[in-house]
Amino acid sequence: MRSLRAALGQFATGVAVVTTVTPDGERAGVTVNSFSSVSLDPPLVLWCLSDRAPSAPVFLRAGRFAVNVLAAGQDELSTRFATPAPDKFAGVDLLTTPTGLPVLAGTLATFICRTSHVYAGGDHHIFLGAVEHYERSAGEPLIFHSGRYRTVATSRPVAA
């Protein structure tokens, strides 16, 4: 299992924090690197969450979520939302959508989604979200590769 995990870790990914709130006000947030675009028409995204994650029941009940794409230098936010804590949102600079979703300030992009479907995928839930609103900012992404946070090195053209 460790060897498979190390091999999968060779695929560099962006880092995102997915946040939600239930109709009764229970909030949850979790760091993911499983975020992916699925479709532009209609606009759909997906992300995955372990069945054993303490926040899984909250995300399953909420019906909505926000994907917050982290920028270089936001590794503290990633670590915070990847670590179990009674209130991961304490002291975090937040915005709130009109529907009440907590959104992290200062990220590269935010996608506000309605949960369209949840699929079983081995030991994970696969959340498919219909994008209802999005925003983007300029900046460099936070990257995760081989078990470490990374930033983009000098950009240079790649030959076709």
Side-chain angles (χ1 to χ4, degrees), residues 6 22 43 46 128 146 149 156:
T22 62
L46 70 76
L128 183 67
S146 197
Y149 295 115
R156 61 182 167 83

Side-chain angles (χ1 to χ4, degrees), residues 15 69-75 106-108 138-143 151:
V15 182
V69 179
L70 299 187
Q74 291 185 312
D75 43 301
T107 60
L108 284 185
E140 296 294 331
L142 181 62
I143 305 292
T151 56

Side-chain angles (χ1 to χ4, degrees), residues 34-125:
S34 59
F35 172 65
S36 181
S37 166
V38 174
S39 170
L40 293 176
D41 187 18
L44 299 170
V45 297
L46 70 76
W47 65 282
C48 304
L49 179 64
S50 171
D51 294 345
R52 296 182 309 266
S55 59
V58 179
F59 280 101
L60 290 168
R61 284 195 323 271
R64 306 180 63 71
F65 58 86
V67 178
N68 304 269
V69 179
L70 299 187
Q74 291 185 312
D75 43 301
E76 185 278 324
L77 276 175
S78 174
T79 300
R80 171 189 286 262
F81 283 92
T83 306
D87 184 4
K88 294 180 182 184
F89 294 93
V92 173
D93 191 10
L94 292 174
L95 307 170
T96 305
T97 69
T99 59
L101 280 173
V103 173
L104 305 180
T107 60
L108 284 185
T110 304
F111 300 89
I112 307 302
C113 303
R114 175 183 45 78
T115 303
S116 173
H117 294 87
V118 179
Y119 300 99
D123 59 358
H124 279 65
H125 298 290

